[in-house]
Amino acid sequence: MAEPHAAWGMRQIEEFNEFLPIGPWTVNLDERRYRQSGRELRISVLGSFDTAEGSWLWGWANPGFGKLPVVAAAEALREFGEEHGVPEFAEELVDLSSFADPRYAAEMLAFGAMGVLRADGYIGVQANETGRLYMVPDDPQVPVAGPDPVALPRLLMNGAQFFNRSAFEVVAGYFHHFGLPWRQEGETVRAELPGGTGATVQFDPQGRISAVSMGAIGKEALGDRATG
């Protein structure tokens, strides 16, 4: 469920980090206000990660939050997880201790949650000695990245390696997210980006991306279009 969001999510994270550079931070959860580097954002809590136990607790399951508006994003993920059979989103506590790097697994979970929510980024901060707090912005001032022909090859290749399951889902998810016309022809996906730029993504027999090429394309070249 998270993999289709990998490529566009990576570009959006870059946009978000440029907007909100690293710096001192404060948060008021009652008011849903997060402040960092001179900027103030409205946020929603995803969950918290216990670095000592290697466990993730969703915001909606934290008794300190109850049904406060600040956990609206986590509540939406719980409903999504129940509807689509994704236990990592639906269960109160997610045990990440068996991963080689539980902290990295927590980042992957937060990134996947950001994608499913179609949020404009995510924030992870050290709230205390063993606890990290994860949030997503819910504020119109956050810039939203659009389709980028220059960055596309890098985003598709890196996105395919992030979850490393289905490169096709990453590619199709990118084009679907931006509503771009695309079609599959055997082991090739062709798409049209704004401005008439065409993208051709080739896959090897194992389903991995073997090449991404960019060039001018006519609308008729796509024939019957698909949009995801």
Side-chain angles (χ1 to χ4, degrees), residues 106-129:
E107 297 291 330
M108 291 182 70
L109 186 58
F111 179 83
M114 165 198 155
V116 169
L117 291 168
R118 296 180 179 268
D120 297 330
Y122 80 87
I123 303 165
V125 295
Q126 197 72 28
N128 53 49
E129 185 176 350

Side-chain angles (χ1 to χ4, degrees), residues 40-77:
E40 181 177 282
L41 302 174
R42 185 177 63 206
I43 52 87
S44 188
V45 168
L46 285 177
S48 54
F49 177 63
D50 188 321
T51 58
E53 299 293 332
S55 60
W56 174 284
L57 180 67
W58 288 108
W60 57 266
N62 191 320
F65 296 143
K67 296 294 183 179
L68 294 175
V70 75
V71 296
E75 284 281 6
L77 276 170

